[in-house]
Amino acid sequence: MKVVCAFLLAVLGGNASPKAADIKKILSAVGAEAEDDKISQLLKELEGKDIAEVIAAGTEKLASVPSGGGGGAAAPAAGGAAAGGAAAAAPEPEPEEEEEEDMGFDLFD
């Protein structure tokens, strides 16, 4: 991931087609080690491609991936399913918190 980020930083900096040395320079500037095999794999995969088109294609693919958080209905209680779900389970009352008794001293006196 850091190799991809360094590549994108180089592109944002105005270098339309960063080389391995450019990526290594960015990574070394932040104290990260550059992995030559990952850099060469990334450059091979992106060779001759426009990065904006690659990002757009990836965004389209991600749009079809379910990401959860749809706010769906809550699961029924175990007893509600057996009874046909007609009777809603009454929520249990929360226990009242007891106040602490005054013991004749204050912690901050």
Side-chain angles (χ1 to χ4, degrees):
M1 194 65 162
K2 61 186 174 185
V3 174
V4 174
C5 292
F7 181 88
L8 291 173
L9 281 171
V11 171
L12 285 173
N15 187 348
S17 57
K19 306 289 183 222
D22 301 324
I23 295 172
K24 287 180 184 180
K25 184 177 179 182
I26 292 171
L27 290 174
S28 66
V30 295
E33 291 186 25
E35 300 171 20
D36 292 330
D37 58 331
K38 291 189 179 195
I39 293 172
S40 62
Q41 180 183 2
L42 176 71
L43 293 175
K44 185 176 121 182
E45 297 267 338
L46 295 176
E47 187 176 358
K49 296 180 182 176
D50 179 33
I51 194 64
E53 292 174 4
V54 172
I55 292 173
T59 303
E60 288 176 19
K61 288 180 182 181
L62 284 176
S64 65
V65 174
S67 60
E92 294 182 26
E94 294 183 22
E96 295 181 21
E97 293 184 23
E98 297 178 18
E99 292 185 27
E100 293 183 25
E101 294 181 23
D102 187 16
M103 300 177 98
F105 68 92
D106 189 10
L107 195 67
F108 301 105
D109 281 341

